[in-house]
Amino acid sequence: MFSGPLAVLAVLHSATVTLGARYFRQAAGIPSFDHDFMIVGGGNAGGVVASRLGEVADYNALATEAGPSDKDVFDIQVLALAANIWFGSSVDWNFTTSPQVNAGNQILEYPRAKIRGEYGKLASPNVASLSEQGQYDPALHSKDGKLGVTAPFSDHPLNDLLLEATNQLSNEYPFLQDLNGGRPIGLGAHCRVGQAIIAHGSRSSSASAYLSHASDNVHVLLNTSVSRVVPTAESGGNDFRTIELRAGSDNATMKLTANKEVVVSAGVIQTPQRLLLSGIGPKDELDTLGITTFVDNPSVGKNFSDHVTISIKFLTDLPSTSFDETEALAQWKSNHTGRFALSQHMPQTGWVRFPEDSPPFRDGATDPTAGLNLPHVEVFFVGISEGQGGNMTLSVNIVDLTPVPRGSLTLATESPFDQPIIDPALLTSPLDTAILLEGFCDTPAPPSGGSIADEEVIRYIQNNANSFGHGAGTCSTAPFEVSWGVVDPDFRLRDVKGLRIVDASVLPFVASEHLQAPVYALAEWASDVIKCSHSS
């Protein structure tokens, strides 16, 4: 079903028919708008949900994506070129945060892509001839999943130094054969061989691994932004199965209604933004902007949680990790191997859990982790390059994996074209600063000479902290029996019919890990929940 000036979108439409989902560059190219499910957002979660719902032959699903197809952007296919599609590119929303008052009043970039799409089948490393034997635990991985996980490696002297650290610092950095073994604490085989979402030298994503293999009852509408969800006219009340689209150079609007449900998978920033623009959120905030409140839910946009990180550099005599990018690109284009088949950063990563009597917890602070098998910080080795004066420097990120603060996402205006106010509330808890300080002191990196007072490190942390881009929680799930929260355990929006949310925004807090795998698992689970709810 549709209404609105569809005719204005009829210019130069085209559809690409493949063995998988059908992609449409213009709404006018879609043969029918008789869709049972409409998914707002074609990223990690949205691509999975659309594909999985398409497994039911009687269903028709439509996913909308604000950007182009992954096949239309070369840099999305080459993992080492990922930085080219981040902040400042045409396929990023180019969001920035509000001034972070406890982090040097910085206004930070907050990359969110208009195009996307870690665990599944384990593909072989195709970069060189290093054997995978002993580099991961085969019992923890399947070869039958949809997503490809490759074990790319970096043959570099840093590997041996880090492995030696597991002998000299065995308490802080125990040997860890596989970082997915259920207790990701330490260093080990992954110092040399990491695990990345790569299949046959190219990025593996929800687009390539799910949508490209979906049935043709799944439609993907590209270059189209959903500005709001609105009450479905013929149903009345709080039935929100209708979406308002904006597309074309003039951003003309049209409305589409799903027969069964709308699933919003627009991410931690734009999912709550869409709800607020739709009149679903804190009534006092909506009243201030002149937005009619349909559902007064104070939890929408609150509970924002994100990993906080600092970048540090150490002087080192280790060789550079730089390489000839022109040569690497030519090799990748030839056979999808070489350095461009890897991510830009080094594969080495360490995961650290502090003892109970560590400085961050000596004044009675509660351990923020969810259990004894989880780390407090990640040590993320970025690369070695020539710095000022010709000295080689090792760049490392220290990441606080269990941030205490809770920020917010609010509207600046009532317009869908204006950026919302993004406040991750970095370092508003002293415990986060203390954890980053301890992580700095415990980094297993080559010594740079001299010592630095804690006060100096703290000042550095407070002036240089940044988001690690793993936001969660802005549409948090909560138990059925409580009145707070945005969605219930079945992903249904509270006090609303026909509308669910499936993305990182429903996670109550950011997990102590990178979020891609949890989001894929969440989307798989949600897909089964949705299908089961309509099976009778």
Side-chain angles (χ1 to χ4, degrees), residues 282-325:
K283 186 177 186 304
D284 56 343
E285 295 180 13
L286 299 177
D287 287 347
T288 300
L289 296 174
I291 298 175
T292 301
T293 301
F294 289 101
V295 178
D296 181 10
N297 187 323
S299 298
V300 175
K302 304 303 184 284
N303 194 52
F304 189 13
S305 175
D306 196 356
H307 293 153
V308 57
T309 182
I310 56 169
S311 177
I312 56 179
K313 294 181 183 294
F314 297 90
L315 292 176
T316 180
D317 56 4
L318 292 172
S320 172
T321 55
S322 301
F323 56 93
D324 187 324
E325 295 190 5

Side-chain angles (χ1 to χ4, degrees), residues 197-239:
I197 312 169
I198 307 171
H200 310 295
S202 296
R203 178 190 299 274
S204 184
S205 67
S206 65
S208 63
Y210 281 85
L211 292 173
S212 65
H213 301 285
S215 302
D216 62 3
N217 59 344
V218 177
H219 297 164
V220 181
L221 179 56
L222 302 169
N223 307 308
T224 303
S225 177
V226 173
S227 55
R228 297 186 301 156
V229 290
V230 297
T232 302
E234 64 267 27
S235 298
N238 287 343
D239 186 339

Side-chain angles (χ1 to χ4, degrees), residues 161-391:
L161 291 177
L162 293 178
L163 287 175
E164 180 60 26
T166 65
N167 295 322
Q168 297 184 14
L169 303 170
S170 57
N171 290 332
E172 295 125 302
Y173 289 93
F175 180 81
L176 180 65
Q177 181 178 9
D178 196 307
L179 56 90
N180 294 302
R183 191 176 189 272
I185 299 173
L187 293 163
H190 61 286
C191 291
R192 191 181 184 196
V193 177
Q195 295 179 16
I197 312 169
I198 307 171
H200 310 295
S202 296
R203 178 190 299 274
S204 184
S205 67
S206 65
S208 63
Y210 281 85
L211 292 173
S212 65
H213 301 285
S215 302
D216 62 3
N217 59 344
V218 177
H219 297 164
V220 181
L221 179 56
L222 302 169
N223 307 308
T224 303
S225 177
V226 173
S227 55
R228 297 186 301 156
V229 290
V230 297
T232 302
E234 64 267 27
S235 298
N238 287 343
D239 186 339
F240 278 77
R241 289 178 294 112
T242 300
I243 59 177
E244 180 182 87
L245 306 180
R246 291 180 182 270
S249 58
D250 58 354
N251 282 300
T253 63
M254 61 181 296
K255 293 178 182 178
L256 305 177
T257 298
N259 296 330
K260 297 183 183 296
E261 291 187 18
V262 167
V263 179
V264 180
S265 299
V268 69
I269 302 300
Q270 287 159 297
T271 287
Q273 181 189 25
R274 296 297 178 267
L275 294 184
L276 294 168
L277 289 168
S278 304
I280 302 172
K283 186 177 186 304
D284 56 343
E285 295 180 13
L286 299 177
D287 287 347
T288 300
L289 296 174
I291 298 175
T292 301
T293 301
F294 289 101
V295 178
D296 181 10
N297 187 323
S299 298
V300 175
K302 304 303 184 284
N303 194 52
F304 189 13
S305 175
D306 196 356
H307 293 153
V308 57
T309 182
I310 56 169
S311 177
I312 56 179
K313 294 181 183 294
F314 297 90
L315 292 176
T316 180
D317 56 4
L318 292 172
S320 172
T321 55
S322 301
F323 56 93
D324 187 324
E325 295 190 5
T326 301
E327 180 180 311
L329 180 58
Q331 180 177 348
W332 188 91
K333 288 182 175 179
S334 173
N335 54 23
H336 285 198
T337 66
R339 286 297 301 269
F340 266 31
L342 306 174
S343 60
Q344 285 183 322
H345 59 76
M346 303 169 72
Q348 296 88 346
T349 304
W351 307 82
V352 186
R353 180 172 181 84
F354 303 137
E356 293 180 3
D357 60 350
S358 294
F361 314 123
R362 286 177 186 167
D363 293 331
T366 302
D367 181 358
T369 64
L372 298 178
N373 289 328
L374 295 174
H376 292 103
V377 299
E378 174 185 358
V379 182
F380 190 86
F381 295 89
V382 180
I384 300 173
S385 60
E386 186 174 317
Q388 293 181 349
N391 296 315

Side-chain angles (χ1 to χ4, degrees), residues 36-37 51-60 215 217 531 534:
D36 297 291
F37 298 94
S51 175
R52 290 294 315 282
L53 292 177
E55 293 172 351
V56 181
D58 292 337
Y59 291 165
N60 290 312
S215 302
N217 59 344
K531 287 198 291 186
H534 293 278

Side-chain angles (χ1 to χ4, degrees), residues 102 130 337:
N102 291 283
L130 180 66
T337 66

Side-chain angles (χ1 to χ4, degrees), residues 15-101:
T16 302
V17 180
T18 68
L19 295 177
R22 300 181 65 189
Y23 283 78
F24 298 87
R25 302 184 188 281
Q26 299 283 351
I30 298 178
S32 169
F33 288 104
D34 186 24
H35 293 95
D36 297 291
F37 298 94
M38 293 182 178
I39 297 93
V40 179
N44 290 349
V48 172
V49 173
S51 175
R52 290 294 315 282
L53 292 177
E55 293 172 351
V56 181
D58 292 337
Y59 291 165
N60 290 312
L62 172 68
T64 63
E65 174 55 60
S69 165
D70 63 313
K71 295 181 175 63
D72 294 334
V73 181
F74 178 74
D75 291 350
I76 195 71
Q77 302 169 45
V78 186
L79 201 64
L81 297 178
N84 294 348
I85 61 170
W86 277 47
F87 192 88
S89 77
S90 62
V91 291
D92 192 89
W93 289 99
N94 298 313
F95 290 136
T96 56
T97 69
S98 60
Q100 296 301 287
V101 295

Side-chain angles (χ1 to χ4, degrees), residues 37 238 240 260-264 271 275 280 295 297 300 475-480 482-503 506 522 525-526 528-536:
F37 298 94
N238 287 343
F240 278 77
K260 297 183 183 296
E261 291 187 18
V262 167
V263 179
V264 180
T271 287
L275 294 184
I280 302 172
V295 178
N297 187 323
V300 175
C475 291
S476 179
T477 187
F480 288 109
V482 302
S483 58
W484 54 272
V486 181
V487 297
D488 66 25
D490 286 339
F491 305 92
R492 289 190 176 97
L493 199 73
R494 293 182 181 277
D495 302 318
V496 168
K497 297 178 181 178
L499 183 61
R500 300 193 204 225
I501 299 175
V502 182
D503 58 32
V506 306
L522 182 83
W525 173 29
D528 287 338
V529 169
I530 296 170
K531 287 198 291 186
C532 286
S533 69
H534 293 278
S535 62
S536 57

